[in-house]
């Protein structure tokens, strides 16, 4: 082997994987099983430090991310102008809001209590199925199916329910 590029009188133990120069045991820094010289390690740390500082500067200049409950409920009164401005602000930041026209809770309660008559189907805009439930309500089968559907509506995710049952559902980007 050769001598260290920093300490000319010291025998080298290997080469730096970054710069390829011969290094002795004094100059060697082992990271994840690889040998690096101190100069290369310092360069890597300085480069990473600059990246971290840049990320910190970017995070200070960005606005905090706000998540909104698209299902409504929250504060006292709201005007349409404030909700449209918040939707526009959400679109500027790159995340979407959802606009629901049907409530899964209302549909679930209607299905549990009035499912035998298909009231939940009428609420969801499925008039044909609602009439079918109404015609066969005397058999009690629509009542059993309505109870099961009501439970399924109530335990489902808001977005899954809206995608499947809400014809007016849309994402506001």
């Amino acid at each position: 082997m050769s001598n260290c590029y920093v300490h000319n009188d010291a025998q080298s133990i290997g080469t730096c994987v970054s710069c390829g120069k011969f290094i002795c045991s004094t100059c060697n820094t082992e990271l994840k099983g690889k040998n690096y010289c101190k100069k290369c390690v310092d360069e890597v740390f300085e480069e990473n430090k600059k990246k971290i500082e840049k990320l910190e500067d970017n995070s200070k200049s960005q606005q905090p991310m706000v998540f909104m409950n698209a299902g409504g409920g929250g504060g006292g009164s709201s005007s349409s102008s404030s909700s449209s401005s918040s939707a526009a602000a959400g679109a500027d930041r790159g995340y979407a809001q959802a606009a629901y026209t049907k409530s899964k809770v209302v549909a679930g309660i209607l299905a549990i209590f009035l499912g035998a008559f298909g009231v939940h189907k009428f609420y969801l805009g499925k008039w044909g199925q609602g009439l079918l439930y109404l015609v066969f309500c005397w058999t009690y089968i629509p009542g059993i199916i309505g109870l099961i559907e009501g439970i399924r509506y109530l335990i489902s995710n808001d977005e899954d329910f809206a995608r499947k049952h809400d014809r007016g559902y849309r994402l506001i980007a």
Side-chain angles (χ1 to χ4, degrees), residues 3 7 52:
N3 290 342
H7 304 104
I52 290 171

Side-chain angles (χ1 to χ4, degrees), residues 121-122 125-133:
K121 293 295 185 179
F122 290 114
K126 299 178 180 179
W127 291 88
Q129 290 179 7
L131 288 173
L132 196 62
Y133 276 57

Side-chain angles (χ1 to χ4, degrees), residues 4-7 23-29 36-39:
C4 175
Y5 83 99
V6 175
H7 304 104
I23 50 177
C24 65
S25 59
T26 308
C27 296
N28 183 40
T29 302
Y36 291 90
C37 67
K38 294 195 183 296
K39 181 181 176 187

Side-chain angles (χ1 to χ4, degrees), residues 30-45:
E30 188 175 330
L31 297 172
K32 295 185 180 180
K34 297 180 181 177
N35 295 328
Y36 291 90
C37 67
K38 294 195 183 296
K39 181 181 176 187
C40 291
V41 169
D42 290 341
E43 288 175 2
V44 168
F45 278 115

Side-chain angles (χ1 to χ4, degrees), residues 35-129:
N35 295 328
Y36 291 90
C37 67
K38 294 195 183 296
K39 181 181 176 187
C40 291
V41 169
D42 290 341
E43 288 175 2
V44 168
F45 278 115
E46 283 299 317
E47 187 177 314
N48 286 339
K49 185 179 176 183
K50 288 177 184 176
K51 288 179 183 178
I52 290 171
E53 288 172 356
K54 185 177 179 181
L55 286 173
E56 287 174 348
D57 289 342
N58 286 343
S59 67
K60 288 178 185 175
S61 65
Q62 289 181 350
Q63 302 245 342
M65 189 176 293
V66 177
F67 295 97
M68 301 177 128
N69 179 6
S77 65
S78 65
S79 65
S80 61
S81 63
S82 67
S83 63
S84 64
S85 65
S86 66
D92 290 342
R93 292 195 184 107
Y95 53 92
Q97 280 184 303
Y100 301 109
T101 59
K102 302 294 180 190
S103 168
K104 74 173 191 171
V105 175
V106 171
I109 291 172
L110 287 174
I112 290 171
F113 293 110
L114 299 170
F117 305 107
V119 175
H120 63 292
K121 293 295 185 179
F122 290 114
Y123 171 74
L124 294 173
K126 299 178 180 179
W127 291 88
Q129 290 179 7

